[in-house]
Amino acid sequence: SSRPKVTENDVWQAIYRDEFFLDYQPQVSLRDGAWEGVEALVRWRHPKLGVLFPSAFIDIVERNGNLASDLIAQVIKKSAEDIQKCGHGLGRYRTVSINVSPIGLTDLSFPELVDSVVSQYNLEKRRIRFEVTETSIAEDPTVLMDILTRLRLKGYTLSIDDFGTGHATFENLRELPLDEIKIDTNFVRAGLRDPVAKIIAERTVALGHDLHLVVIAEGIEDVDSWCWLRDLHCDYGQGYYIARPMPPKMLAAWARKWRTPSI
Ligand code: C2E
Ligand code: MG
Ligand code: MG
């Protein structure tokens, strides 16, 4: 395969050597195009292999709870630093979504760690959102639920990522104190040519709204998908049509150029 082979030990070293960084992908309102927030996406500047995307290493991370929780801690600190450097109201009146592997959420002091970063950088808790997917190997599901519930009680918000894929299921809707549901890229991208994907996406919007959740579609790649989801009253959108993930310092230039489609 073309996928570079990295080992668990490589990932430990990368954390130690500070080789991870974040790109940010804008999320906008499908109603009026307003810039609502960003999702932070981790990348690894590997000294020999160049920049690696999560598909090259996230499976390794998720096999080890300690590794996963160290990565989460690093991602939270980095995103706070980026937010402070680049401004744009991120973390104040625009949301920053952070992916967390449930397998890394095993330490009950995690919500306090987040609190300390958030107060140090003067962010608003409700503007920090954690995206979770199901993990079958979560060591102790009670601890995981306890951590997520504590985060939610403190005022952070929770999103369920990749909904409908088996990584995130109906059962999660009953278990998690959610604020947002993310329609998986696969349903969004196939929606205009595959009638089954279309129905799934449409029913997910309705389901989310019936449960009083905000619904966001990821993987919007063209204007037709934008119009379809907007007309369904899906709340937010994310995808290459709006913007690719980018370094934080590029967000300003994107925001100046971004125009809501006029059809
Ligand atoms: P995700 O959270 O579902 O993130 C969305 C992925 O879809 C990103 O891939 C993004 O670049 C890609 N994407 C966005 N818009 C489009 C589009 O219009 N078309 C297509 N084809 N793709 C689009 P990426 O950055 O490679 O991340 C892959 C996954 O890795 C993420 O999926 C997330 O589950 C995981 N991940 C990313 N950052 C972190 C992190 O900090 N911690 C953990 N645990 N996982 C992370
Ligand atoms: Mg995500
Ligand atoms: Mg997703």
Side-chain angles (χ1 to χ4, degrees):
S1 101
S2 61
R3 193 178 281 188
K5 293 279 178 291
V6 297
T7 65
E8 187 179 313
N9 200 41
D10 296 337
V11 182
W12 278 117
Q13 284 201 2
I15 291 183
Y16 180 72
R17 294 177 178 164
D18 200 16
E19 291 168 355
F20 289 105
F21 67 98
L22 297 166
D23 277 342
Y24 294 84
Q25 187 175 33
Q27 301 176 329
V28 300
S29 162
L30 290 174
R31 190 164 44 80
D32 59 8
W35 182 20
E36 297 290 338
V38 291
E39 178 176 6
L41 295 159
V42 73
R43 279 93 182 80
W44 175 3
R45 192 171 286 109
H46 191 287
K48 294 203 186 77
L49 301 171
V51 172
L52 301 182
F53 290 87
S55 58
F57 58 85
I58 222 69
D59 289 351
I60 294 174
V61 172
E62 298 196 344
R63 251 180 260 145
N64 184 319
N66 295 326
L67 196 51
S69 53
D70 275 25
L71 183 66
I72 294 173
Q74 200 168 60
V75 163
I76 287 166
K77 285 177 202 147
K78 283 199 182 295
S79 58
E81 283 165 20
D82 289 341
I83 291 162
Q84 191 171 60
K85 269 188 246 157
C86 78
H88 310 307
L90 286 173
R92 278 311 290 173
Y93 57 90
R94 289 192 175 103
T95 305
V96 179
S97 292
I98 294 171
N99 293 284
V100 289
S101 324
I103 191 81
L105 294 181
T106 47
D107 190 341
L108 279 173
S109 67
F110 177 71
E112 274 74 48
L113 166 80
V114 181
D115 271 354
S116 71
V117 174
V118 160
S119 63
Q120 189 189 338
Y121 289 88
N122 197 27
L123 310 173
E124 282 232 40
K125 292 182 182 185
R126 67 192 178 91
R127 290 304 186 179
I128 306 299
R129 179 168 301 154
F130 293 99
E131 292 190 5
V132 287
T133 54
E134 188 177 60
T135 334
S136 47
I137 38 176
E139 276 159 24
D140 182 349
T142 7
V143 173
L144 172 65
M145 290 308 297
D146 198 354
I147 294 171
L148 292 172
T149 308
R150 284 190 202 192
L151 286 168
R152 184 62 163 48
L153 285 171
K154 282 175 175 290
Y156 301 99
T157 54
L158 299 182
S159 178
I160 186 161
D161 206 353
D162 305 335
F163 184 74
T165 59
H167 299 293
T169 61
F170 286 116
E171 189 62 16
N172 298 135
L173 292 181
R174 296 206 311 127
E175 289 171 343
L176 297 170
L178 293 169
D179 299 280
E180 181 186 81
I181 184 167
K182 286 193 103 167
I183 311 176
D184 188 67
T185 320
N186 288 324
F187 303 119
V188 173
R189 281 159 63 207
L192 291 179
R193 49 187 166 74
D194 171 350
V196 176
K198 185 163 188 277
I199 289 170
I200 291 171
E202 293 178 357
R203 296 301 152 91
T204 305
V205 174
L207 175 70
H209 287 166
D210 284 349
L211 296 171
H212 306 290
L213 304 174
V214 167
V215 183
I216 178 165
E218 59 182 343
I220 297 180
E221 292 187 344
D222 52 41
V223 70
D224 294 341
S225 305
W226 171 288
C227 293
W228 164 49
L229 288 149
R230 175 199 62 199
D231 295 345
L232 277 178
H233 305 293
C234 182
D235 302 284
Y236 301 133
Q238 180 182 344
Y240 295 166
Y241 175 70
I242 301 149
R244 298 215 167 218
M246 65 184 95
K249 63 176 194 306
M250 307 278 283
L251 289 166
W254 166 79
R256 278 195 299 276
K257 285 206 323 238
W258 164 244
R259 293 282 175 279
T260 314
S262 52
I263 51 168

